[in-house]
Each structure stands twice: as C-alpha cells, then as structure tokens.
Amino acid sequence: MDSWNEWVEQTLDKLEYRKLLRSLRPIHLSDDNSHSDEFECFDGLRQWDRASVEVEISETTFQKWLQDIPSPGDDHGGSGVAYTAARTSAGRFRKLILFSGNDYLGLSSHPSAVQKHGMGPRGSALICGYTNYHRLLESSLAELKSKEDCLLCPTGFSANMAFMTAVGNVSLLLAKDSQPSIDERVAVFSDALNHASIIDGIRLAEKQKSVAAFVYQHCDMHHLNELLTNCPMKKKVVITDSLFSMDGDFAPLVELVKLRKKHGFLLAIDDAHATFVCGKTGGGAAELFNCISGVDICIGTLSKAGGCHGGYIACSKKWKQFIQSRGRSFIFSTSTPVPIAAAAHAAVIVAKKEMWRRRAIWNRVQDFRDLTGIPITSPIISLIVGSEATALQASRHLLEFGFHITAIRPPTVAPNSCRLRIALSAAHTLDDVKNLTAALSQCINFSEIGFYCTSWNAARL
C-alpha cells in the first residue's frame, strides 16, 4: 500500500500549496463531563431495553396496513408507530414486537444516552460546528476500529459520498493536464449489492470523470480477481459492504485481504451493520474475521447498533485530512448536533462494556437457526418469497400476530426477489423468537427457504 500512501501525500502537498487544506478546530463546551467513561452500565436486560422493540400502532393505521391502503402518516389516533413508553391510551393502539429495525443491541433506549447541551450544532464542522464532544466520539471510534483517526459525517450516506468524491479528487489533483486521462483515473471496484450511498458516490465521481467504475458479481472473488488482473490502471480501490443489509451475508473479507496483497488496491468497507455487533469488542466484521490491518478505510453509521445517528470514516490521519478537505458531503453539511454526538459516544462506551448485549443477539441468531433450520449467519434474516403480493400477504399475516415486519420490495430489491427482512436485537427474548417463528411457519415453508438460502450462498461463493 506504499503507492496509495504516496499518492495521498502528494495530494495533500498540492492542497497545502494552493492553501486548500482544511482543519478541524474543536470548540470546547464548558461545564461538561465529556471526557468521562463512567457511564452507568448494566449486566442484563432491563425494562427500558424492551422499549426498543415493544411499539404500538394506532388502530386506524393497523387496519389500513392490513388492507394495504396507502397512509399519509397522520392517521387519527396517532401517526405511524409510537413507542410504548410514550403511548398508554387503552383501546386506541395495538402493541407490536418490532423485528424490522436496525437497533441490534437495543441501545437506543439506554439511560446513558442523555446530555444537557442544546441541539444546535451552530454550523458545518469546518466553520463552528465541531466541539470537544465530536472529537471525543471520533477518538473512541478510531480506537474501536484500530485506526489512526476518524472523521464524523452527518449520516452514513454522506460518509460514503464524501469518501468516494475524495477518491475521485486523487486523480483530479495528480493529473498532468486539467482533466485526468483514462490511465490516470482511479479504478473503483464495487460489489454488485453495495449500498445505494456507495453507488451514488461512485456515480458522482464518474460524472467528474475522475474514476472508472467496475462492478463485480456479489461476493465473487474469482470475478473480482479477473477484473483487477485485466485493469491497466494503477490506482485501484475495492469497496464493499461488510454485512449486506438486504441479504444478511458477509463479504469474504479474508479473501479480499489476500487479493489486496496481490494487487495493491485500497480496501474500503462499509461496516454499518456489523459495527458494535461483530467481534469481541464490537469492532465490526474485520475484527470478527481477524483482518483489521488488511482494511484501509472503515466507513459506518451510528444509526444501527449504535442506536443513535450520524456517520463516520475511520482511517489514517492523512486520509482524514484529505477527505475533510475534498469530501463535499462533509464540507457542505451542518455538523452533527451536540447531544447526538455525546449520546453516540456514550453508546460506544456502553456497547464495549455491556458485552452481554453481543452475546444476547448472537444467542437469538442461534435460536432462530435452531427453530427454523434456516442457515442464517447474522442478525439480518432475509426471507426471499418472490412476488410483491406474496411478501405483502406475509407481512400482513405477521402483523395480525403482533409482529412489525415490513415487506421489502423494488426498488430496494430486484423484481421477484421481494422478501421479509427480519432484524434481531439483544432486546428480543427467546419467547419473542419462538412466537415469531411460529407465526412465520404458517406462511413460509422453512425447508424450502433453507434450501434456497444454502444454494444461493453456495452459488455466490
């Protein structure tokens, strides 16, 4: 990876010469305890944890959902989903168990996620929206990901956009002429099922004529190796989701790291759904597969298992300085509100200390496997049922049994691959999973789903 380090250094030199390097200068908020790791932690499930999976829905919304009638979200008696703790009116709401969210550890309702500095971020991070709370969160995420530093972004979407546009700027800044030639562009290799934010970031860089995009078949290392071998461009980047949100399978990170050594590309992963959930300390998929040093850039969000909001890019100090100087979605976005940054920092600390949460969610994964025979490998369970009508009917069936599980349809997934996407949480109990699988068994044939999943994964690997 010496070549990439050299290219980034060259771009930083050019930006410094042009006085275009941008710096982050934390504003210190007085009378705070932001540097303390002494958040109250607990050794097991508490009543407030259940608030992350126990929800209520208005009777009007419930009936419209059953009949598949479009709703504007302002139904009489309450709009959409209301959390149980906030709704107690008997008769007007129905209690549901949420199996459709991404709060994998149940941290969204943890009492440590409370702070006292108003909402105002004041401006973009480069102007006056960057505080000691933001810096502390960056440091804790860098430590979690075993990287030199970290850059906060307003969302995970903007984090991927910022990274991809910055990658494109490498070729723009180092081009001999005003426009990089084909050979001077960056070759970006993207998994076919990568998140929309990665795809859109690549498309934007393509519009600037700074990258050339190559899409490899999902998790197909033979195809990727073939594309890399036949690509004459020197600057190469491979980017992939680490845990795919709509399929629930992991990218073959060990094989990717081997290809990285062979071809010398920069390896970036979107670790949104694995952060806090995978690995001994919650460091994510790279920690789970023991290949942290082989991953150069780790992008993610705090809105999944972090139970909060915001995105981040864990990387080297030089990459951070470059992205904060050329990543447009970072530069031109308002900074994360202070209490959200503080709450997210609390989530990082609590997720690391309350190890029972990771044990609990993986126990639920095992429970689902044992009860259904479906060979799932993560807390994301993708039950592909085919047509939209079939998926909607199954979703309504589960709703009648008290489970909030939405049908995933195009354009999120391809036509005729509609599915029920189930997300397990540490806040779910064994009884929750037993009741869910009992309801599922009435509308899904587990043996067919299990055979399909096995064949599907085998064909891709």
Side-chain angles (χ1 to χ4, degrees), residues 331-382:
I331 296 170
F332 297 104
S333 292
T334 299
S335 181
T336 303
V338 175
I340 293 178
H345 173 245
V348 175
I349 302 304
V350 171
K352 182 178 289 189
K353 290 186 176 182
E354 293 189 6
M355 298 179 67
W356 67 266
R357 293 181 183 272
R358 273 184 296 284
R359 289 195 296 270
I361 192 171
W362 287 103
N363 285 341
R364 298 294 83 82
V365 172
Q366 185 62 52
D367 293 338
F368 192 92
R369 270 199 301 257
D370 293 342
L371 289 164
T372 65
I374 299 175
I376 62 171
T377 58
S378 79
I380 300 171
I381 304 166
S382 184

Side-chain angles (χ1 to χ4, degrees), residues 94-310:
R94 289 196 181 223
K95 180 180 175 181
L96 301 176
I97 301 299
L98 196 69
F99 272 100
S100 53
N102 291 321
D103 184 13
Y104 302 116
L105 298 189
L107 288 175
S108 63
S109 56
H110 198 283
S112 290
V114 177
Q115 293 294 332
K116 57 188 177 182
H117 294 286
M119 286 299 293
R122 299 180 180 87
S124 68
L126 292 174
I127 303 298
C128 58
Y130 186 71
T131 71
N132 46 313
Y133 283 97
H134 297 82
R135 180 59 202 146
L136 189 64
L137 176 55
E138 287 178 337
S139 298
S140 64
L141 287 168
E143 180 182 0
L144 181 72
K145 296 295 183 180
S146 299
K147 297 292 180 251
E148 277 188 342
D149 214 330
C150 179
L151 180 69
L152 287 183
C153 294
T155 64
F157 202 107
S158 67
N160 273 320
M161 294 289 286
F163 172 67
M164 290 313 310
T165 54
V167 163
N169 266 266
V170 172
S171 62
L172 291 173
L173 288 165
L174 299 184
K176 295 178 181 178
D177 299 319
S178 58
Q179 192 70 42
S181 65
I182 295 295
D183 290 339
E184 289 178 318
R185 295 178 190 178
V186 178
V188 178
F189 300 84
S190 175
D191 188 285
L193 296 186
N194 274 344
H195 190 264
S197 56
I198 296 175
I199 296 170
D200 286 359
I202 294 172
R203 286 173 176 169
L204 179 58
E206 280 186 301
K207 288 288 185 182
Q208 298 172 329
K209 297 184 179 179
S210 59
V211 308
F214 301 87
V215 178
Y216 62 91
Q217 296 170 18
H218 180 53
C219 291
D220 188 334
M221 295 299 96
H222 176 75
H223 186 215
L224 175 59
N225 180 60
E226 188 177 85
L227 290 175
L228 289 163
T229 301
N230 294 328
C231 179
M233 303 160 77
K234 293 181 180 179
K235 303 179 184 71
K236 298 181 176 73
V237 174
V238 173
I239 186 165
T240 179
D241 285 16
S242 64
L243 174 55
F244 290 86
S245 62
M246 284 299 137
D247 290 78
D249 58 340
F250 287 97
L253 291 185
V254 174
E255 289 84 353
L256 280 166
V257 169
K258 289 179 181 177
L259 286 180
R260 173 182 175 270
K261 292 179 180 178
K262 177 181 177 180
H263 294 282
F265 57 75
L266 187 83
L267 178 58
I269 64 171
D270 183 336
D271 213 25
H273 292 270
T275 300
F276 303 126
V277 174
C278 299
K280 184 178 180 180
T281 68
E287 183 182 32
L288 175 65
F289 294 108
N290 194 30
C291 58
I292 295 172
S293 61
V295 175
D296 301 291
I297 308 287
C298 186
I299 302 161
T301 178
L302 297 158
S303 63
K304 311 301 182 189
C308 204
H309 188 73

